[in-house]
Amino acid sequence: MFPEIIDTRPWRRAIDDSLNWVVRNWGDEFEAAAYPLLMLLNFIEDVLIATPWWLIMAILVGIAWLATRRWQLPVIVLVSLLFLGIMELWEDAMTTMALMIAATITAIIFSIPLGVWMSRSARVRQVVTPLLDLMQTMPSFVYLIPTVMIFGPGKIPALIATIVYAAPPLVRLTDLGLRSVDPAVMEASRAFGTTPSQRLFGVQIPLSLPTILAGVNQTTMMALAMVVIASMIGAGGLGYQVLQGIGRLEVSRGLFAGLGIVVLAIVFDRITQSFGKQLQAKIGLAETR
Amino acid sequence: MNEIKLDTDLAIRMRGVTKIFGDDPQSALELLRAGKTKTEVQAETNHVVGLDNVSLDIARGQIFVVMGLSGSGKSTLIRHVNRLIEPTAGEIIVDGTDVLKMSLEELRAYRRNSVAMVFQKFGLLPHRSVIDNVAYGLEVRGVPRAERLEKAAKWIDTVGLSGYEQSRPRQLSGGQQQRVGLARALALDTDIILMDEAFSALDPLIRSGMQDQLIELQKTLGKTILFITHDFDEALKIADRIAVLKDGAVQQEGKPEDIVLKPANEHIEEFVREVNKARAIHVRTIMERGEFEACEFTVPETARCEDVLPYFAEHQWVGVTNEQGTQIGRVTAKRVIGALARYTPGVNEG
Ligand SMILES: Nc1ncnc2c1ncn2[C@@H]1O[C@H](COP(=O)(O)OP(=O)(O)OP(=O)(O)O)[C@@H](O)[C@H]1O
Ligand SMILES: [Mg+2]
């Protein structure tokens, strides 16, 4: 046994008490602060559910076509979506998609500026990197419980948990992408008298867009990986079906809903990756890598 | 009075510019000032001496060539002129203004309007078409789109890349990319042009054409050009003055002929050994001045030995004329050969 050096019980009590205090005194404020997130999620979900299934299929197949200009990916997307429809998973899939899209949008809004900031300051990077490690490795239940305590069970903690888990790769890849822009190109731009923001928007971001897009791809994948956990605290959708399947020992229900998640993952993964490749070819990095 | 006049004639003036790369340049600087060499400083402190107490005066309208071996600090030197690198010590005055005292805003205006640069590594923007690359400097300067594209198209034509306007840099060969970089700098029409091995990737034919154009540009528009090259023959062809760098320090600075004919030390002698001396030596330095009978063939006094050599196949001597075209002397084959032999080590020594 490791000898007890100091009594840690007061620390734990302090943490628990302060959380309780926050919940009691600031619960409403937190909820109000997170309200825009809820609005965003509900809006996306409403739109996806209200849109006829064939239109959504047409849009996604069309995007797949735009991303590759070949027939293979659109066919894969079409088959995947038909599978969701035939298995009676369409509505749940839309709910899950809404959660993923809302999480991805929010992650983009926060992560890209943070990534930009990190890329410009070694000190910021020193502080943020361990935080990102923490966000990715800390078991999600650890922060899920306090968020549920603060916001109550429902979609907000589910969305927040998803964002916390899914945002780090985007921050990292934005930072990496911006820093790995060819220094010779940056220097040339500087020599012509550009301002820092002209260099950021005119050179750095366009040249690192493929890397940033790889980050968005990672974020969508990790958001989908969170849906089962998110459904435990009130996000419906495919995750909830999986959960129910497990709970009632209905293997088939869990299996099909699980496959539904896989199918969604395939669709979004392939589409974002193809856009990344297309961009890379356009910028002219494809051949040098 | 004299001092002021000197200053207005100078485009670029560097005084005691020293650059030390590393975390603690000041302590390394003290070692350097105490007389240690670049190698010793590097061994003791792990700091690299980029430039060592460089002072240069570059007159307006000159082509000033900086030569030196790889790693001698040429690129480091040229980057100081537009302050892409901050010196550890020293003073840089361009057109009478202290570059190091400029605020960020002034520095940007200075880079946009007064100095253009051609990079050794090209530094083209890979996501833009050739024409947008060439127009980049003008775009930063705020020139309206139609006007800048027109200027860019003209320069693309001048460097011989018409038809490639919409290509991406990666679709071009190295030499073509270098010409895009050239056009990008020239399109800015600045008084000072910095060229870091700007012709290194060009084939001999295009290279020679570009050298002629550069001389033309300097003659007609009075540009000040700071040019870096490895190639002594190139330097001799275009330079008004040459500085030779070694380990970041200027070894010798002077007219091309002075460097070739009176190398200051062994290092420069080595450099000069392979050089085409017939190109380096001007007719005026070896001619016999005075009245001679008019000759069928004449050359201007600015001609070089290589220009008169062909005439000696048929003639004993060739007339030399001044700017007005009047004959002021002559040069004989014997003199030319004598001059070439005198400055060729191992021949006619002692
Ligand atoms: N950013 C830097 N950090 C550290 N050392 C540097 C840096 N830039 C240049 N140096 C060093 O300064 C010295 C001069 O480099 P520079 O690039 O000026 O050489 P150069 O004469 O242009 O050579 P080349 O002909 O190969 O282009 C070299 O020893 C190099 O290692
Ligand atoms: Mg160099």
Side-chain angles (χ1 to χ4, degrees):
Chain A
M1 271 292 270
F2 197 84
E4 189 181 299
I5 299 167
I6 30 173
D7 188 8
T8 56
R9 270 170 301 180
W11 298 0
R12 293 191 218 162
R13 208 171 304 123
I15 291 172
D16 295 340
D17 287 349
S18 52
L19 182 65
N20 283 328
W21 183 85
V22 168
V23 172
R24 224 177 304 118
N25 294 293
W26 291 93
D28 292 344
E29 280 77 1
F30 271 105
E31 227 165 305
Y35 189 65
L37 278 183
L38 187 64
M39 294 271 290
L40 177 73
L41 176 55
N42 283 340
F43 172 76
I44 295 172
E45 193 173 341
D46 291 348
V47 168
L48 284 179
I49 289 178
T51 312
W53 60 270
W54 49 266
L55 186 56
I56 289 188
M57 278 196 190
I59 290 171
L60 285 176
V61 171
I63 291 177
W65 164 254
L66 282 181
T68 56
R69 313 268 167 182
R70 292 190 194 187
W71 57 270
Q72 286 94 332
L73 187 63
V75 168
I76 294 174
V77 170
L78 184 68
V79 171
S80 306
L81 294 177
L82 282 175
F83 170 84
L84 290 175
I86 291 166
M87 288 298 160
E88 296 176 10
L89 293 169
W90 188 264
E91 211 174 301
D92 288 321
M94 290 306 112
T95 308
T96 297
M97 225 164 99
L99 179 69
M100 182 207 78
I101 293 175
T104 306
I105 291 176
T106 322
I108 289 175
I109 292 172
F110 286 106
S111 304
I112 292 184
L114 185 59
V116 170
W117 198 26
M118 267 172 85
S119 74
R120 326 206 116 197
S121 149
R123 189 162 315 151
V124 173
R125 196 173 326 126
Q126 265 169 14
V127 175
V128 174
T129 308
L131 270 176
L132 295 178
D133 293 339
L134 198 73
M135 284 161 76
Q136 275 184 305
T137 48
M138 181 76 89
S140 35
F141 289 102
V142 174
Y143 51 85
L144 215 50
I145 290 158
T147 24
V148 171
M149 283 170 70
I150 293 173
F151 297 104
K155 285 178 180 168
I156 293 183
L159 185 57
I160 290 178
T162 310
I163 293 167
V164 168
Y165 185 65
L170 184 52
V171 180
R172 278 189 226 275
L173 284 169
T174 304
D175 169 45
L176 178 72
L178 293 174
R179 277 188 299 126
S180 43
V181 170
D182 184 355
V185 176
M186 290 301 288
E187 184 184 45
S189 173
R190 213 150 58 89
F192 285 100
T194 47
T195 60
S197 66
Q198 278 173 324
R199 285 197 290 280
L200 178 66
F201 293 107
V203 182
Q204 268 189 305
I205 290 189
L207 288 182
S208 53
L209 221 46
T211 315
I212 295 178
L213 209 64
V216 173
N217 169 285
Q218 289 286 303
T219 297
T220 56
M221 292 303 102
M222 296 186 63
L224 281 176
M226 274 296 277
V227 295
V228 175
I229 291 177
S231 69
M232 288 180 174
I233 48 173
L238 294 171
Y240 187 64
Q241 295 287 338
V242 173
L243 218 56
Q244 275 199 324
I246 298 167
R248 299 184 197 162
L249 294 180
E250 277 183 73
V251 176
S252 59
R253 184 195 280 258
L255 179 67
F256 289 141
L259 284 176
I261 296 175
V262 172
V263 157
L264 273 187
I266 290 175
V267 168
F268 282 91
D269 180 50
R270 295 301 131 83
I271 288 179
T272 44
Q273 272 196 25
S274 308
F275 268 116
K277 277 198 198 116
Q278 210 182 52
L279 252 175
Q280 231 169 35
K282 208 166 151 192
I283 294 176
L285 302 172
E287 275 156 46
T288 50
R289 288 206 176 154
Chain B
M1 279 310 283
N2 214 356
E3 185 65 33
I4 291 167
K5 180 156 186 324
L6 255 178
D7 265 4
T8 49
D9 282 347
L10 281 186
I12 304 169
R13 182 188 152 101
M14 297 179 109
R15 278 290 163 275
V17 176
T18 302
K19 175 67 191 179
I20 292 164
F21 294 104
D23 307 323
D24 182 16
Q26 290 306 331
S27 62
L29 181 65
E30 274 164 36
L31 286 182
L32 191 68
R33 290 208 166 137
K36 303 242 159 141
T37 65
K38 169 173 173 155
T39 330
E40 284 167 349
V41 172
Q42 194 161 352
E44 275 177 45
T45 62
N46 212 11
H47 283 54
V48 180
V49 177
L51 285 185
D52 177 4
N53 199 15
V54 170
S55 299
L56 291 177
D57 286 331
I58 301 176
R60 210 178 294 285
Q62 259 186 357
I63 299 185
F64 192 103
V65 173
V66 176
M67 301 215 37
L69 300 176
S70 200
S72 57
K74 304 181 297 297
S75 298
T76 308
L77 177 114
I78 206 167
R79 281 188 171 91
H80 276 87
V81 177
N82 56 358
R83 211 172 127 188
L84 289 173
I85 296 182
E86 300 275 345
T88 311
E91 200 184 40
I92 301 160
I93 315 278
V94 176
D95 285 335
T97 316
D98 190 339
V99 176
L100 301 176
K101 294 217 175 83
M102 287 180 181
S103 69
L104 280 181
E105 195 45 55
E106 286 165 342
L107 182 62
R108 280 196 282 271
Y110 163 68
R111 286 173 178 167
R112 278 197 288 264
N113 303 314
S114 310
V115 280
M117 183 160 175
V118 183
F119 288 86
Q120 188 175 5
K121 291 179 189 157
F122 314 152
L124 303 179
L125 305 172
H127 60 301
R128 284 167 159 246
S129 62
V130 165
I131 193 161
D132 282 338
N133 261 290
V134 175
Y136 185 63
L138 296 167
E139 183 182 330
V140 174
R141 197 185 273 175
V143 175
R145 189 176 162 75
E147 188 186 334
R148 66 175 189 249
L149 289 186
E150 189 190 325
K151 277 196 183 151
K154 186 192 133 234
W155 279 105
I156 289 174
D157 188 45
T158 312
V159 299
L161 285 178
S162 333
Y164 288 99
E165 283 86 353
Q166 298 309 324
S167 309
R168 302 270 162 180
R170 74 178 155 103
Q171 295 167 324
L172 306 182
S173 75
Q176 289 171 325
Q177 291 185 26
Q178 186 157 52
R179 281 182 277 161
V180 176
L182 270 167
R184 179 173 68 175
L186 296 176
L188 280 171
D189 194 24
T190 51
D191 288 338
I192 297 176
I193 307 172
L194 309 175
M195 305 179 110
D196 194 351
E197 303 195 20
F199 298 157
S200 58
L202 304 181
D203 63 68
L205 271 183
I206 293 180
R207 187 167 181 153
S208 165
M210 287 285 159
Q211 290 165 349
D212 292 336
Q213 267 182 27
L214 196 70
I215 296 170
E216 186 67 29
L217 204 69
Q218 176 247 353
K219 283 225 176 84
T220 53
L221 301 175
K223 306 272 182 209
T224 308
I225 298 164
L226 181 53
F227 195 98
I228 285 177
T229 179
H230 279 127
D231 180 352
F232 220 124
D233 279 321
E234 179 167 75
L236 292 176
K237 180 167 172 191
I238 63 174
D240 292 310
R241 291 189 82 82
I242 296 180
V244 182
L245 275 185
K246 186 191 177 206
D247 290 345
V250 176
Q251 304 283 306
Q252 187 175 3
E253 194 265 349
K255 290 206 202 99
E257 280 167 295
D258 295 343
I259 309 256
V260 177
L261 303 182
K262 291 170 230 145
N265 58 32
E266 263 173 40
H267 174 68
I268 297 175
E269 223 163 76
E270 235 167 82
F271 231 104
V272 167
R273 194 159 294 156
E274 300 302 319
V275 88
N276 174 4
K277 292 185 189 66
R279 171 171 297 173
I281 303 171
H282 283 97
V283 167
R284 61 167 178 262
T285 51
I286 55 168
M287 67 191 262
E288 301 168 68
R289 282 176 194 274
E291 295 277 325
F292 294 94
E293 56 183 289
C295 180
E296 203 180 325
F297 291 105
T298 57
V299 291
E301 61 178 329
T302 52
R304 299 150 193 265
C305 283
E306 63 175 0
D307 301 327
V308 296
L309 281 176
Y311 297 117
F312 294 136
E314 315 223 331
H315 296 268
Q316 286 299 311
W317 48 274
V318 173
V320 179
T321 58
N322 63 8
E323 268 172 47
Q324 284 75 42
T326 39
Q327 191 170 334
I328 53 167
R330 67 170 190 178
V331 54
T332 59
K334 205 174 160 196
R335 281 214 160 213
V336 170
I337 292 164
L340 294 182
R342 178 149 31 107
Y343 297 117
T344 305
V347 179
N348 198 15
E349 224 147 64

